[in-house]
Structures are given as C-alpha cells and as structure tokens.
Amino acid sequence: MDGVIGQAIQQVLTPIFDPGFSESSFGFRPGRSAHGALRQLQQYLREGRRVAVDLDLEQFFDRVDPDILMARVARKVRDRHLLALIGRYLRAGVLIGDIIQATGVGTPQGSPLSPSLANILLDDLDKELERRGHRFVRYADDLLIVVGSVRAGERVKASITRYLTTKLKLVVNEQKSRVARTDECVFLGFTFRGAKLRWSDRAFADFKHRVRRLTGRSWGVSMAYRLKQLVKYLRGWMNYFGISDYYRPVPEIDSWIRRRIRMCYWKQWRRARTKVRHLLALGTGKREAILTAISRKSYWHLSRTLATQTGMTNAWLASQGLISVRNRWLKAHGYA
C-alpha cells in the first residue's frame, strides 16, 4: 500500500514539475535515460571541453533536508492535503526489526517518490548552473560539469560546493569530488577517450565476475536454465553498455564466453563414454573424441581443444540459445 500511494503521488507530481526541469537533467524522467546524458556529454566533449568538475553528494538521499525540499514542492503544489501527505512520507521513519526509528532528514528509502523529490530539490542547482552558463549533465545525484581548463574547474568546484552546502544544505564529499581530465572520469559506468565512450574498468570487471558465476562448473543446474539466465544477463548488459565505441575487446568476450560454456557442457557430460558419444554426434573425429574424453587435463584446458571446438562449434552453441556479444554490438552501431 505504501508503494502504491508513493507511486500515485509521483504520477501527480511529474506533469506538474517535469516540464520545467532542465534539459540537462536525465535521471528518472519520462523519455529520458542515462544514454541521453552520455550523448549530451559527448557533444560537450566534441566542443573541446575536456576538464570535468566531478562532485560527489555524500549520502544524498539520506541527507535531504525535508523543510528545504517541502518549500520547493510548495512552489507549485497548493493542495494542503497532498503537501501534508508528502511531509508524512519524509518523516515516517524507518522500521528496524519491530521498532520505528525517526528520520529527521532524507527521503523514503526504496520509494518511487524519492527520485521525483530529488529532482525537485536539485532543479534549483540545475537552474543555477544554467544561469552561470555552465555545460553539465545530471542523472539523479550524479553530476558532471565540463569546463575548458583546470583553473576554471577549481573555481566552479569551490563556488558550486558553497551553493550546495549553504542553499540546499547538502554535503559534498571532498575526498571523492575532484577536478580532472574527462579521460580520467567515470560517469554512469563509462569512461571517455576524447569524445568516445567506453565502459569503465569497474563495469567490465563486474561483468566478468557475473559471467563467471553464471558459467561456474559447480552451479548444479541444467544447461538450458544456465543459458537462459546467461542470455538474459548478456542482453541487459549490452542494452546498456553496448553504446560503447570501443570494439577491440568485443570479439574476445564472445570467445571467452563460448569457452566457458564448452567447459560447462564438458563437466555436465561427466563420463568419458558420454563425452565421446556427444562429440561423435556433433561431428568430431573418433580419435580426437576418445583422446580428449580420457584426458586428465582440466575442464578449462579441454574446453579449447580441437575435439570440443569442432564438436561444440559456434553455430551449435548459437542453436542452443547462446547469443553473440559481437553481433549485438555491431547491430547497436548500425553495422548489422
């Protein structure tokens, strides 16, 4: 019930506030996305702005001042019952065990209302940045301001930090905030090489970790279920990170994933006789099939032998449901 009411309030607030929001605000807004923020940032980079002010708002959703937020909501909402209901959400507290602990600051955790309230509060920041003529992109509390030089960046960082702390009563994490070359920044999971996008090292490490889990030999599930879960994850990851302009690692990713799937099949077939039977059925020569099946080398090593690759071909793996990261990248970039 709490979630339904929060969603209902959010649906009332959106048409009231959203039309007046900044064109540089992309988070949790109809028809806008992280990709839109990245594309706008790319345009600024093409204009030659290669220094970024990267401001980190410390525990933003936990530190929102309810009085400051409600004052901004009340600018456009006149209904006192709705204002009172939003105020109750902000001060409802959190349930820890069987005890409700009061919350003097912050927005309701996990509520669909929180992102809308965050945008209402931070719209003042957006308008201030626009008034000063800055180029910036904001996705919820992720903010990047691009400028022409390090000196300009230091001035902007100092002045906007003052604005956030004095006007909006927010806390800027000085340890995580910085002025740096855009090539050194990570924004929404991406880094930049000039004006080109590429997924960050952290995002790629998380991707490989998840794929390893989904293709782990000890996961006792059927191959059909394993492939279903893996493909679901690959589609989601590529739908977001597939806009990366960096192609070089893409074919290697496909090769690595296929090898891990061959390893899973090899482990699942267990007995040497079963392995030989499967390989022969898939077209592997009898000698190669037998020698590979009786080998005592590791599953990972044997997943890259002539026998396993001529049997479990790329086409066969595709027929089992495995998708190609390379093909999805090419399609996303208009090559297929």
Side-chain angles (χ1 to χ4, degrees):
M1 184 182 294
D2 182 73
V4 169
I5 296 172
Q7 181 65 32
I9 297 172
Q10 188 266 341
Q11 289 178 200
V12 169
L13 295 182
T14 296
I16 296 173
F17 285 94
D18 192 79
F21 284 158
S22 169
E23 288 298 309
S24 296
S25 168
F26 292 88
F28 306 100
R29 296 183 58 193
R32 289 175 166 263
S33 66
H35 285 181
L38 291 163
R39 294 305 188 198
Q40 181 160 309
L41 186 55
Q42 276 188 297
Q43 182 57 44
Y44 294 152
L45 297 179
R46 292 188 187 102
E47 294 171 3
R49 300 172 186 273
R50 298 296 172 84
V51 176
V53 181
D54 187 359
L55 291 176
D56 182 86
L57 299 179
E58 185 173 312
Q59 296 179 313
F60 170 73
F61 287 96
D62 293 329
R63 293 181 178 271
V64 170
D65 187 303
D67 293 327
I68 292 176
L69 173 57
M70 288 305 300
R72 279 141 184 83
V73 174
R75 289 172 182 172
K76 294 187 177 182
V77 174
R78 303 300 182 204
D79 188 294
R80 60 187 179 87
H81 298 293
L82 179 54
L83 290 172
L85 183 57
I86 296 171
R88 287 176 62 189
Y89 260 95
L90 293 174
R91 295 175 173 85
V94 292
L95 185 65
I96 300 178
D98 296 325
I99 301 173
I100 295 179
Q101 292 191 0
T103 50
V105 294
T107 58
Q109 295 296 310
S111 169
L113 187 56
S114 287
S116 292
L117 295 177
N119 277 333
I120 291 171
L121 177 65
L122 291 175
D123 186 54
D124 274 19
L125 170 63
D126 297 340
K127 296 300 192 292
E128 180 66 17
L129 290 170
E130 289 176 342
R131 186 185 69 78
R132 299 185 187 188
H134 292 311
R135 300 288 188 269
F136 70 97
V137 288
R138 182 176 66 79
Y139 190 93
D141 59 326
D142 285 324
L143 172 68
L144 212 63
I145 308 166
V146 287
V147 295
S149 68
V150 172
R151 176 178 288 186
E154 295 291 354
R155 288 198 304 267
V156 171
K157 178 178 178 289
S159 63
I160 296 302
T161 296
R162 283 195 302 271
Y163 178 86
L164 287 165
T165 54
T166 59
K167 297 293 185 180
L168 300 182
K169 306 299 182 185
L170 296 171
V171 178
V172 176
N173 188 326
E174 288 292 345
Q175 280 69 45
K176 293 185 178 179
S177 299
R178 60 178 184 153
V179 176
R181 298 282 301 175
T182 52
D183 288 4
E184 301 169 9
C185 294
V186 178
F187 185 66
L188 301 179
F190 285 87
T191 57
F192 310 91
R193 292 297 179 269
K196 292 186 176 182
L197 292 173
R198 59 189 297 178
W199 51 65
S200 68
D201 291 341
R202 172 66 182 274
F204 192 44
D206 290 345
F207 167 80
K208 290 194 292 185
H209 176 72
R210 183 67 181 276
V211 171
R212 284 191 183 100
R213 285 183 56 194
L214 292 169
T215 56
R217 299 195 311 268
S218 59
W219 191 23
V221 297
S222 69
M223 285 304 299
Y225 181 79
R226 185 193 298 273
L227 283 168
K228 180 181 178 181
Q229 296 304 310
L230 175 62
V231 167
K232 180 181 178 181
Y233 175 69
L234 293 177
R235 283 201 179 104
W237 199 84
M238 285 302 294
N239 283 344
Y240 185 75
F241 287 102
I243 66 170
S244 168
D245 297 310
Y246 190 44
Y247 173 74
R248 191 166 70 179
V250 173
E252 296 174 8
I253 293 172
D254 264 350
S255 177
W256 176 66
I257 292 173
R258 286 193 296 263
R259 186 176 178 183
R260 291 196 65 84
I261 290 297
R262 289 186 181 106
M263 177 186 67
C264 292
Y265 273 111
W266 197 247
K267 171 72 180 297
Q268 194 171 76
W269 289 343
R270 294 182 179 276
R271 295 176 177 275
R273 185 176 297 177
T274 304
K275 293 173 180 176
V276 171
R277 186 176 73 251
H278 280 294
L279 289 177
L280 291 177
L282 292 172
T284 301
K286 187 174 181 179
R287 182 174 183 277
E288 287 80 8
I290 293 173
L291 290 176
T292 306
I294 64 176
S295 172
R296 301 184 66 85
K297 292 182 179 178
S298 69
Y299 293 110
W300 180 244
H301 176 88
L302 295 173
S303 65
R304 202 177 183 181
T305 59
L306 177 63
T308 52
Q309 289 189 317
T310 56
M312 293 178 277
T313 63
N314 296 354
W316 182 79
L317 291 175
S319 73
Q320 303 306 297
L322 183 63
I323 64 172
S324 166
V325 169
R326 176 180 177 274
N327 290 345
R328 294 189 73 82
W329 189 94
L330 292 173
K331 184 176 181 180
H333 289 264
Y335 295 112

